[in-house]
Amino acid sequence: MLNSADTDARTGGAALDRVVYSAQTIAARVAEMGREITAAYPEDEPVLVLGLLKGSFIFMADLVREIERPVTLDFLVAASYGAGTMTSGDVRLLYDAEATLEGQHVILVEDIVDSGTTINRLIPMLQARGPRSLEICALLHKHLAHDLVREPKWVGFDAPREFLIGYGLDHSENFRNLPFIGSLKAPE
Ligand code: IMP
Ligand code: MG
């Protein structure tokens, strides 16, 4: 367990409002998601897991170890946020996967679905590459977006509509290393 002194050491003593999902809660849910994903694909069919960096890196690492199917991995880097907590509405692809999607079962792994801009920009682009199937797995979903081109097939948690940090999620690149997910105190 993490005590408040440890938390301070990792946040620099800053701005944490509360722990929303503990490390134990996350681990249990990720293991469950791994079982759900495993059950969704035939035993001998490989799955390409595409992680959206940077936010999904810890989730992805934990999730793929819970999937009992042949898995290959690749990553995309998309940037939709500047330094703050507001979306710019613009998604730039900074790094594209090397893997060929054509004919493959593909799972796009997202840390959090917020405005849905990222999904709405990436899904048509990935679908155009002719995957055999294409699904989204999101650790967190704020259910703010009503115009998603595709709903995630797997969602870890229906998240509160607060700014969340930790377990890969950042605020201005900080807090990604927190083992739990917390919410940030609103600025005074
Ligand atoms: P969307 O395109 O608005 O759905 O947002 C997608 C990206 O914004 C996510 O992959 C995150 O990197 C970032 N994001 C959205 N909400 C949060 C949050 O509460 N905390 C940290 N990052 C967030
Ligand atoms: Mg981010």
Side-chain angles (χ1 to χ4, degrees), residues 44-135:
D44 53 347
E45 292 183 12
V47 180
L48 168 60
V49 183
L50 267 187
L52 201 47
L53 292 176
K54 299 173 204 168
S56 74
F57 84 108
I58 294 179
F59 174 43
M60 171 99 161
D62 286 344
L63 182 70
V64 292
R65 285 178 284 180
E66 304 288 349
I67 300 176
E68 295 180 18
R69 289 288 175 270
V71 160
T72 57
L73 298 181
D74 212 331
F75 295 96
L76 296 166
V77 182
S80 65
Y81 275 43
T85 56
M86 293 294 291
T87 182
S88 66
D90 172 47
V91 178
R92 285 174 304 139
L93 197 60
L94 305 180
Y95 171 81
D96 199 351
E98 286 171 12
T100 305
L101 274 62
E102 197 178 342
Q104 299 223 59
H105 291 301
V106 178
I107 304 175
L108 180 67
V109 176
E110 260 260 61
D111 53 354
I112 184 165
V113 182
D114 185 36
S115 70
T117 312
T118 308
I119 280 182
N120 286 345
R121 161 93 161 75
L122 291 181
I123 287 296
M125 185 195 83
L126 298 174
Q127 190 63 58
R129 298 178 186 181
R132 180 163 170 196
S133 66
L134 174 61
E135 300 292 354

